[in-house]
Amino acid sequence: MTDTEYMKIALELAKKGCGFVNPNPMVGAVIVKGDEMIGMGYHEKYGNLHAERNAILSCKKSPKGATLYVTLEPCCHYGKTPPCTEAIIESGISKVVIGSSDPNPLVQGQGVNILRNNGIKVIENVLKEECDEINKVFFHYIKTKTPYVVMKYAMTIDGKIATYTGKSKWVTGEEARQNVHKDRHKYSAIMVGVGTVLADNPMLNCRIEECKNPIRIICDTNLRTPINSNIVESSKEIQTIIATCCEDENKRNWYIDAGCKLLTLSKKDNHIDLNELMKHLGEENIDSILLEGGGALNWSALNSGIVNEVQTYIAPKIFGGIDSRSPVAGIGVENPQDSFYLKNKSIRQIGEDILIESEVIQRCLQE
């Protein structure tokens, strides 16, 4: 087998950590001696051993003289676990093949240098594009210290997310909705506006067995979330953050007593400052957000520049109606050249629906 083929196996192992390792990266590792895979492992859970150490521990024979294939540059610093470079050197591995470089300032090429200085041959950038892709969230978070935001909405083929009566169950089919729950597991948090809570009284949980619930974030400028809502009543079981500008202590205490955490933020354009919110959430180790807001929050998020990616589910239906709701509301742009530009990453069919995943081209880059 070739280096590329072994790295593909390491990539598949890495993906098993999806949703469980945040805010750490997904990493997979394979150890090969001769033509035999003698060990493999992946980063299974935040705080647990890294992929390289798991692979070394799994070896069915001595790894001395073997080759390690790993999707991300081995760490060289002490964190939740000791450095992986240390374990690699002690194991006697003689060659390391790496997919992605680690942009973490604590690593950033130092891992490679330490291995080479200890006589280990290092080959870099094998399947780099694929290895980078699985950790786009980690790369964004480690560089900016703010969450990677994915704005998701489901609309009919005529661009409506609800009928003129406000009803939206269901725009898409079962397969598409199941895919959304996979993403609720994948990303650290889910964020909506208080309007969604008032209209739908959602749970915002993940309804897939053996998967985790995302942290729930409610953007509620004036604290209008009902105390008897599903969100508040389950806040002791599922971590819930309410971002608000309200400073009324009596009102705030209702939510705190119920188990919610309140973040008090500045007001901008008559609602919470979303950029300030992102900074606070980054400090809470929240590396990624699935934004399932309504039109108002979606507009504010785009306008504030916090959205990195857009997921558009399109159903083969037509609602019609001038008063039917659209995925992005607000005042809108004045001129076509002021649009928020997207670059399509993928288009695929999920059941009867289509999912378009697009990167947001930030305005500064357009200019």
PDB file of all heavy atoms in Angstrom, residues 13-41:
ATOM      1  N   LEU A  13     -10.345   6.979  10.486  1.00  0.00           N
ATOM      2  CA  LEU A  13     -10.265   6.846  11.943  1.00  0.00           C
ATOM      3  C   LEU A  13     -10.511   8.193  12.616  1.00  0.00           C
ATOM      4  O   LEU A  13     -11.247   8.282  13.607  1.00  0.00           O
ATOM      5  CB  LEU A  13      -8.880   6.321  12.342  1.00  0.00           C
ATOM      6  CG  LEU A  13      -8.586   4.849  12.062  1.00  0.00           C
ATOM      7  CD1 LEU A  13      -7.100   4.562  12.232  1.00  0.00           C
ATOM      8  CD2 LEU A  13      -9.398   3.948  12.997  1.00  0.00           C
ATOM      9  N   ALA A  14      -9.910   9.247  12.066  1.00  0.00           N
ATOM     10  CA  ALA A  14     -10.049  10.585  12.654  1.00  0.00           C
ATOM     11  C   ALA A  14     -11.504  11.002  12.750  1.00  0.00           C
ATOM     12  O   ALA A  14     -11.934  11.594  13.753  1.00  0.00           O
ATOM     13  CB  ALA A  14      -9.252  11.598  11.824  1.00  0.00           C
ATOM     14  N   LYS A  15     -12.283  10.697  11.727  1.00  0.00           N
ATOM     15  CA  LYS A  15     -13.685  11.122  11.669  1.00  0.00           C
ATOM     16  C   LYS A  15     -14.534  10.489  12.765  1.00  0.00           C
ATOM     17  O   LYS A  15     -15.609  11.001  13.085  1.00  0.00           O
ATOM     18  CB  LYS A  15     -14.266  10.795  10.294  1.00  0.00           C
ATOM     19  CG  LYS A  15     -13.668  11.617   9.160  1.00  0.00           C
ATOM     20  CD  LYS A  15     -14.156  11.140   7.800  1.00  0.00           C
ATOM     21  CE  LYS A  15     -13.442  11.857   6.663  1.00  0.00           C
ATOM     22  NZ  LYS A  15     -13.848  11.326   5.327  1.00  0.00           N
ATOM     23  N   LYS A  16     -14.059   9.406  13.362  1.00  0.00           N
ATOM     24  CA  LYS A  16     -14.809   8.769  14.453  1.00  0.00           C
ATOM     25  C   LYS A  16     -14.888   9.674  15.684  1.00  0.00           C
ATOM     26  O   LYS A  16     -15.763   9.495  16.533  1.00  0.00           O
ATOM     27  CB  LYS A  16     -14.154   7.438  14.834  1.00  0.00           C
ATOM     28  CG  LYS A  16     -14.288   6.341  13.788  1.00  0.00           C
ATOM     29  CD  LYS A  16     -13.703   5.035  14.304  1.00  0.00           C
ATOM     30  CE  LYS A  16     -13.899   3.898  13.316  1.00  0.00           C
ATOM     31  NZ  LYS A  16     -13.384   2.610  13.850  1.00  0.00           N
ATOM     32  N   GLY A  17     -13.959  10.627  15.777  1.00  0.00           N
ATOM     33  CA  GLY A  17     -13.978  11.551  16.913  1.00  0.00           C
ATOM     34  C   GLY A  17     -14.896  12.736  16.716  1.00  0.00           C
ATOM     35  O   GLY A  17     -15.015  13.586  17.610  1.00  0.00           O
ATOM     36  N   CYS A  18     -15.575  12.803  15.572  1.00  0.00           N
ATOM     37  CA  CYS A  18     -16.441  13.942  15.250  1.00  0.00           C
ATOM     38  C   CYS A  18     -17.481  14.182  16.342  1.00  0.00           C
ATOM     39  O   CYS A  18     -18.229  13.274  16.710  1.00  0.00           O
ATOM     40  CB  CYS A  18     -17.130  13.692  13.909  1.00  0.00           C
ATOM     41  SG  CYS A  18     -18.249  14.999  13.402  1.00  0.00           S
ATOM     42  N   GLY A  19     -17.517  15.405  16.850  1.00  0.00           N
ATOM     43  CA  GLY A  19     -18.501  15.785  17.858  1.00  0.00           C
ATOM     44  C   GLY A  19     -18.088  15.503  19.281  1.00  0.00           C
ATOM     45  O   GLY A  19     -18.678  16.049  20.215  1.00  0.00           O
ATOM     46  N   PHE A  20     -17.066  14.647  19.467  1.00  0.00           N
ATOM     47  CA  PHE A  20     -16.655  14.278  20.814  1.00  0.00           C
ATOM     48  C   PHE A  20     -15.365  14.966  21.261  1.00  0.00           C
ATOM     49  O   PHE A  20     -15.061  14.981  22.457  1.00  0.00           O
ATOM     50  CB  PHE A  20     -16.451  12.757  20.908  1.00  0.00           C
ATOM     51  CG  PHE A  20     -17.705  11.965  20.681  1.00  0.00           C
ATOM     52  CD1 PHE A  20     -17.861  11.200  19.533  1.00  0.00           C
ATOM     53  CD2 PHE A  20     -18.740  11.980  21.605  1.00  0.00           C
ATOM     54  CE1 PHE A  20     -19.012  10.465  19.316  1.00  0.00           C
ATOM     55  CE2 PHE A  20     -19.895  11.251  21.403  1.00  0.00           C
ATOM     56  CZ  PHE A  20     -20.041  10.490  20.246  1.00  0.00           C
ATOM     57  N   VAL A  21     -14.594  15.511  20.307  1.00  0.00           N
ATOM     58  CA  VAL A  21     -13.275  16.045  20.670  1.00  0.00           C
ATOM     59  C   VAL A  21     -13.224  17.565  20.761  1.00  0.00           C
ATOM     60  O   VAL A  21     -12.226  18.122  21.211  1.00  0.00           O
ATOM     61  CB  VAL A  21     -12.195  15.560  19.669  1.00  0.00           C
ATOM     62  CG1 VAL A  21     -12.120  14.050  19.663  1.00  0.00           C
ATOM     63  CG2 VAL A  21     -12.451  16.099  18.268  1.00  0.00           C
ATOM     64  N   ASN A  22     -14.280  18.270  20.352  1.00  0.00           N
ATOM     65  CA  ASN A  22     -14.287  19.735  20.372  1.00  0.00           C
ATOM     66  C   ASN A  22     -13.881  20.260  21.753  1.00  0.00           C
ATOM     67  O   ASN A  22     -14.342  19.719  22.757  1.00  0.00           O
ATOM     68  CB  ASN A  22     -15.690  20.284  20.068  1.00  0.00           C
ATOM     69  CG  ASN A  22     -16.318  19.650  18.852  1.00  0.00           C
ATOM     70  OD1 ASN A  22     -16.487  18.446  18.821  1.00  0.00           O
ATOM     71  ND2 ASN A  22     -16.680  20.432  17.873  1.00  0.00           N
ATOM     72  N   PRO A  23     -13.046  21.304  21.839  1.00  0.00           N
ATOM     73  CA  PRO A  23     -12.509  22.110  20.743  1.00  0.00           C
ATOM     74  C   PRO A  23     -11.171  21.610  20.205  1.00  0.00           C
ATOM     75  O   PRO A  23     -10.439  22.363  19.573  1.00  0.00           O
ATOM     76  CB  PRO A  23     -12.353  23.479  21.395  1.00  0.00           C
ATOM     77  CG  PRO A  23     -11.975  23.155  22.808  1.00  0.00           C
ATOM     78  CD  PRO A  23     -12.740  21.901  23.151  1.00  0.00           C
ATOM     79  N   ASN A  24     -10.854  20.351  20.447  1.00  0.00           N
ATOM     80  CA  ASN A  24      -9.636  19.768  19.889  1.00  0.00           C
ATOM     81  C   ASN A  24      -9.873  19.339  18.445  1.00  0.00           C
ATOM     82  O   ASN A  24     -11.027  19.194  18.014  1.00  0.00           O
ATOM     83  CB  ASN A  24      -9.195  18.560  20.719  1.00  0.00           C
ATOM     84  CG  ASN A  24      -8.419  18.963  21.962  1.00  0.00           C
ATOM     85  OD1 ASN A  24      -8.129  20.135  22.175  1.00  0.00           O
ATOM     86  ND2 ASN A  24      -8.090  17.987  22.790  1.00  0.00           N
ATOM     87  N   PRO A  25      -8.817  19.063  17.695  1.00  0.00           N
ATOM     88  CA  PRO A  25      -8.980  18.586  16.322  1.00  0.00           C
ATOM     89  C   PRO A  25      -9.291  17.102  16.265  1.00  0.00           C
ATOM     90  O   PRO A  25      -9.013  16.357  17.217  1.00  0.00           O
ATOM     91  CB  PRO A  25      -7.607  18.869  15.697  1.00  0.00           C
ATOM     92  CG  PRO A  25      -6.651  18.770  16.845  1.00  0.00           C
ATOM     93  CD  PRO A  25      -7.403  19.322  18.039  1.00  0.00           C
ATOM     94  N   MET A  26      -9.859  16.669  15.146  1.00  0.00           N
ATOM     95  CA  MET A  26     -10.023  15.242  14.874  1.00  0.00           C
ATOM     96  C   MET A  26      -8.710  14.738  14.290  1.00  0.00           C
ATOM     97  O   MET A  26      -8.184  15.312  13.342  1.00  0.00           O
ATOM     98  CB  MET A  26     -11.159  15.010  13.881  1.00  0.00           C
ATOM     99  CG  MET A  26     -12.538  15.291  14.427  1.00  0.00           C
ATOM    100  SD  MET A  26     -13.834  14.987  13.203  1.00  0.00           S
ATOM    101  CE  MET A  26     -13.822  16.560  12.337  1.00  0.00           C
ATOM    102  N   VAL A  27      -8.189  13.656  14.860  1.00  0.00           N
ATOM    103  CA  VAL A  27      -6.900  13.110  14.404  1.00  0.00           C
ATOM    104  C   VAL A  27      -6.967  11.593  14.391  1.00  0.00           C
ATOM    105  O   VAL A  27      -7.484  10.976  15.326  1.00  0.00           O
ATOM    106  CB  VAL A  27      -5.733  13.568  15.311  1.00  0.00           C
ATOM    107  CG1 VAL A  27      -4.397  13.090  14.739  1.00  0.00           C
ATOM    108  CG2 VAL A  27      -5.724  15.081  15.486  1.00  0.00           C
ATOM    109  N   GLY A  28      -6.427  11.008  13.326  1.00  0.00           N
ATOM    110  CA  GLY A  28      -6.317   9.561  13.222  1.00  0.00           C
ATOM    111  C   GLY A  28      -4.881   9.168  12.954  1.00  0.00           C
ATOM    112  O   GLY A  28      -4.109   9.946  12.369  1.00  0.00           O
ATOM    113  N   ALA A  29      -4.490   7.951  13.382  1.00  0.00           N
ATOM    114  CA  ALA A  29      -3.105   7.510  13.208  1.00  0.00           C
ATOM    115  C   ALA A  29      -3.055   6.014  12.910  1.00  0.00           C
ATOM    116  O   ALA A  29      -3.840   5.228  13.453  1.00  0.00           O
ATOM    117  CB  ALA A  29      -2.295   7.821  14.462  1.00  0.00           C
ATOM    118  N   VAL A  30      -2.122   5.647  12.038  1.00  0.00           N
ATOM    119  CA  VAL A  30      -1.885   4.248  11.678  1.00  0.00           C
ATOM    120  C   VAL A  30      -0.390   3.981  11.746  1.00  0.00           C
ATOM    121  O   VAL A  30       0.416   4.803  11.276  1.00  0.00           O
ATOM    122  CB  VAL A  30      -2.401   3.951  10.246  1.00  0.00           C
ATOM    123  CG1 VAL A  30      -2.048   2.529   9.831  1.00  0.00           C
ATOM    124  CG2 VAL A  30      -3.904   4.161  10.159  1.00  0.00           C
ATOM    125  N   ILE A  31       0.009   2.844  12.332  1.00  0.00           N
ATOM    126  CA  ILE A  31       1.420   2.469  12.414  1.00  0.00           C
ATOM    127  C   ILE A  31       1.651   1.239  11.545  1.00  0.00           C
ATOM    128  O   ILE A  31       0.932   0.233  11.670  1.00  0.00           O
ATOM    129  CB  ILE A  31       1.841   2.194  13.871  1.00  0.00           C
ATOM    130  CG1 ILE A  31       1.650   3.464  14.721  1.00  0.00           C
ATOM    131  CG2 ILE A  31       3.293   1.726  13.939  1.00  0.00           C
ATOM    132  CD1 ILE A  31       1.895   3.265  16.203  1.00  0.00           C
ATOM    133  N   VAL A  32       2.642   1.343  10.651  1.00  0.00           N
ATOM    134  CA  VAL A  32       2.923   0.284   9.679  1.00  0.00           C
ATOM    135  C   VAL A  32       4.365  -0.186   9.836  1.00  0.00           C
ATOM    136  O   VAL A  32       5.295   0.635   9.900  1.00  0.00           O
ATOM    137  CB  VAL A  32       2.685   0.790   8.234  1.00  0.00           C
ATOM    138  CG1 VAL A  32       3.017  -0.307   7.224  1.00  0.00           C
ATOM    139  CG2 VAL A  32       1.253   1.252   8.067  1.00  0.00           C
ATOM    140  N   LYS A  33       4.538  -1.513   9.871  1.00  0.00           N
ATOM    141  CA  LYS A  33       5.885  -2.099   9.940  1.00  0.00           C
ATOM    142  C   LYS A  33       5.986  -3.144   8.851  1.00  0.00           C
ATOM    143  O   LYS A  33       5.193  -4.086   8.816  1.00  0.00           O
ATOM    144  CB  LYS A  33       6.119  -2.714  11.315  1.00  0.00           C
ATOM    145  CG  LYS A  33       7.579  -3.043  11.603  1.00  0.00           C
ATOM    146  CD  LYS A  33       7.762  -3.395  13.073  1.00  0.00           C
ATOM    147  CE  LYS A  33       9.248  -3.574  13.387  1.00  0.00           C
ATOM    148  NZ  LYS A  33       9.468  -3.871  14.830  1.00  0.00           N
ATOM    149  N   GLY A  34       6.943  -2.949   7.963  1.00  0.00           N
ATOM    150  CA  GLY A  34       6.974  -3.786   6.772  1.00  0.00           C
ATOM    151  C   GLY A  34       5.767  -3.430   5.926  1.00  0.00           C
ATOM    152  O   GLY A  34       5.547  -2.284   5.578  1.00  0.00           O
ATOM    153  N   ASP A  35       4.947  -4.404   5.625  1.00  0.00           N
ATOM    154  CA  ASP A  35       3.693  -4.151   4.912  1.00  0.00           C
ATOM    155  C   ASP A  35       2.495  -4.412   5.815  1.00  0.00           C
ATOM    156  O   ASP A  35       1.373  -4.573   5.332  1.00  0.00           O
ATOM    157  CB  ASP A  35       3.601  -5.040   3.662  1.00  0.00           C
ATOM    158  CG  ASP A  35       4.629  -4.651   2.609  1.00  0.00           C
ATOM    159  OD1 ASP A  35       4.903  -3.438   2.500  1.00  0.00           O
ATOM    160  OD2 ASP A  35       5.163  -5.542   1.939  1.00  0.00           O
ATOM    161  N   GLU A  36       2.712  -4.424   7.124  1.00  0.00           N
ATOM    162  CA  GLU A  36       1.657  -4.791   8.066  1.00  0.00           C
ATOM    163  C   GLU A  36       1.268  -3.596   8.937  1.00  0.00           C
ATOM    164  O   GLU A  36       2.122  -2.896   9.478  1.00  0.00           O
ATOM    165  CB  GLU A  36       2.148  -5.939   8.955  1.00  0.00           C
ATOM    166  CG  GLU A  36       1.128  -6.427   9.951  1.00  0.00           C
ATOM    167  CD  GLU A  36       1.692  -7.462  10.911  1.00  0.00           C
ATOM    168  OE1 GLU A  36       2.910  -7.739  10.846  1.00  0.00           O
ATOM    169  OE2 GLU A  36       0.916  -7.979  11.744  1.00  0.00           O
ATOM    170  N   MET A  37      -0.033  -3.373   9.069  1.00  0.00           N
ATOM    171  CA  MET A  37      -0.526  -2.366  10.008  1.00  0.00           C
ATOM    172  C   MET A  37      -0.519  -2.988  11.401  1.00  0.00           C
ATOM    173  O   MET A  37      -1.276  -3.932  11.660  1.00  0.00           O
ATOM    174  CB  MET A  37      -1.941  -1.910   9.618  1.00  0.00           C
ATOM    175  CG  MET A  37      -1.977  -0.999   8.423  1.00  0.00           C
ATOM    176  SD  MET A  37      -3.608  -0.252   8.125  1.00  0.00           S
ATOM    177  CE  MET A  37      -4.498  -1.688   7.541  1.00  0.00           C
ATOM    178  N   ILE A  38       0.340  -2.486  12.261  1.00  0.00           N
ATOM    179  CA  ILE A  38       0.483  -3.098  13.586  1.00  0.00           C
ATOM    180  C   ILE A  38      -0.233  -2.318  14.678  1.00  0.00           C
ATOM    181  O   ILE A  38      -0.348  -2.787  15.813  1.00  0.00           O
ATOM    182  CB  ILE A  38       1.968  -3.267  13.962  1.00  0.00           C
ATOM    183  CG1 ILE A  38       2.659  -1.898  14.055  1.00  0.00           C
ATOM    184  CG2 ILE A  38       2.676  -4.177  12.962  1.00  0.00           C
ATOM    185  CD1 ILE A  38       4.060  -1.969  14.672  1.00  0.00           C
ATOM    186  N   GLY A  39      -0.705  -1.118  14.358  1.00  0.00           N
ATOM    187  CA  GLY A  39      -1.412  -0.325  15.359  1.00  0.00           C
ATOM    188  C   GLY A  39      -2.200   0.790  14.718  1.00  0.00           C
ATOM    189  O   GLY A  39      -1.859   1.260  13.630  1.00  0.00           O
ATOM    190  N   MET A  40      -3.287   1.178  15.352  1.00  0.00           N
ATOM    191  CA  MET A  40      -4.076   2.307  14.871  1.00  0.00           C
ATOM    192  C   MET A  40      -4.854   2.913  16.024  1.00  0.00           C
ATOM    193  O   MET A  40      -5.141   2.235  17.027  1.00  0.00           O
ATOM    194  CB  MET A  40      -5.022   1.892  13.733  1.00  0.00           C
ATOM    195  CG  MET A  40      -5.986   0.769  14.050  1.00  0.00           C
ATOM    196  SD  MET A  40      -7.059   0.382  12.625  1.00  0.00           S
ATOM    197  CE  MET A  40      -5.858  -0.150  11.414  1.00  0.00           C
ATOM    198  N   GLY A  41      -5.185   4.174  15.878  1.00  0.00           N
ATOM    199  CA  GLY A  41      -5.937   4.846  16.937  1.00  0.00           C
ATOM    200  C   GLY A  41      -6.411   6.205  16.467  1.00  0.00           C
ATOM    201  O   GLY A  41      -6.015   6.687  15.401  1.00  0.00           O
TER     202      GLY A  41
END
